[in-house]
Amino acid sequence: MHTEVLTRMSLFEGCEAEALHQLLREAPNSLRIYKEGEYIARQGDACRSLFILMKGNVKTQMENAEGKQLTIDWIKAPDILAPAFIYASENRFPVNVEATELCEVLVMDRTRFEAFMHAQPAVMRNFIAIISDRSLFLSRKLNEFALQSLKSRLLNYLQMHGGIHNQQEVAFILGVARPSLARALSELIAEGKITMTGKQVVLNVPE
């Protein structure tokens, strides 16, 4: 059953099912279960194994010393958690990883996985591509927060997601206080760029 899940991942594209069977048989690994609201990893925890989300969804958040949180991403199974940090010189989780529903996580020995990549060049190429894509995602995220105004970030969010259903959740995602979000929404409404009906916020389409 685990092999079937792994074959759906871009990481193992081009890899034969029998090779995956062998990897699961030989690699020191464990399957961990997490309930909704439990932390799979905390920001700063050592990341010395390959964490594969086999089932469920998680959210990743950064937190500063004052407890302010910024939602970085939502990850849906099957996928790898923190792939860029497994072999880093400072291999620690850069974010909190929280289960948003019942999750199953396969934790695999990184040394065995490294040997597997050498034996399966396609998997190594896939792994490099995944790390590159994550780096691109994070650079775009940094651009949003460092260079764009809150109103621009809100408009980008609406273009990507179609609307806002939960303002508190969006405030976490954008890393702002709820009152700041409310002010930006009011300004965008006054400018005619968005419409709010009840708690639903949508982007106005130019005629």
Side-chain angles (χ1 to χ4, degrees), residues 155-176:
L155 292 173
N156 286 340
Y157 180 92
L158 286 165
Q159 287 174 345
M160 291 177 61
H161 300 277
I164 293 174
H165 309 283
N166 186 320
Q167 290 188 28
Q168 185 60 63
E169 185 177 274
V170 174
F172 272 127
I173 295 170
L174 299 181
V176 298

Side-chain angles (χ1 to χ4, degrees), residues 93-111:
F93 279 91
V95 293
N96 293 324
V97 183
E98 180 183 348
T100 58
E101 61 183 22
L102 185 68
C103 290
E104 294 181 3
V105 178
L106 180 67
V107 182
M108 185 178 295
D109 178 71
R110 66 174 183 173
T111 301

Side-chain angles (χ1 to χ4, degrees), residues 49-117:
S49 301
L50 182 71
F51 282 69
I52 301 178
L53 182 64
M54 304 290 284
K55 178 181 179 182
N57 296 279
V58 304
K59 67 178 177 181
T60 62
Q61 292 184 317
M62 283 187 171
E63 185 174 352
N64 66 12
E66 288 74 40
K68 182 180 179 182
Q69 294 182 326
L70 171 65
T71 300
I72 303 299
D73 198 12
W74 278 271
I75 301 174
K76 180 172 66 174
D79 208 343
I80 318 174
L81 303 178
F85 296 88
I86 298 167
Y87 300 107
S89 56
E90 187 176 341
N91 50 342
R92 296 185 178 277
F93 279 91
V95 293
N96 293 324
V97 183
E98 180 183 348
T100 58
E101 61 183 22
L102 185 68
C103 290
E104 294 181 3
V105 178
L106 180 67
V107 182
M108 185 178 295
D109 178 71
R110 66 174 183 173
T111 301
R112 178 65 183 88
F113 178 67
E114 183 179 353
F116 181 76
M117 287 195 293

Side-chain angles (χ1 to χ4, degrees), residues 111-183:
T111 301
R112 178 65 183 88
F113 178 67
E114 183 179 353
F116 181 76
M117 287 195 293
H118 283 291
Q120 300 284 333
V123 176
M124 181 174 288
R125 288 193 295 271
N126 295 338
F127 187 73
I128 292 171
I130 289 169
I131 291 175
S132 299
D133 287 343
R134 293 288 174 90
S135 298
L136 180 61
F137 167 79
L138 291 174
S139 68
R140 288 173 175 169
K141 201 82 174 177
L142 178 61
N143 174 64
E144 288 178 11
F145 287 97
L147 302 178
Q148 294 185 22
S149 68
L150 176 55
K151 288 195 293 185
S152 294
R153 285 150 54 195
L154 266 171
L155 292 173
N156 286 340
Y157 180 92
L158 286 165
Q159 287 174 345
M160 291 177 61
H161 300 277
I164 293 174
H165 309 283
N166 186 320
Q167 290 188 28
Q168 185 60 63
E169 185 177 274
V170 174
F172 272 127
I173 295 170
L174 299 181
V176 298
R178 175 72 179 274
S180 298
L181 180 72
R183 283 194 298 271

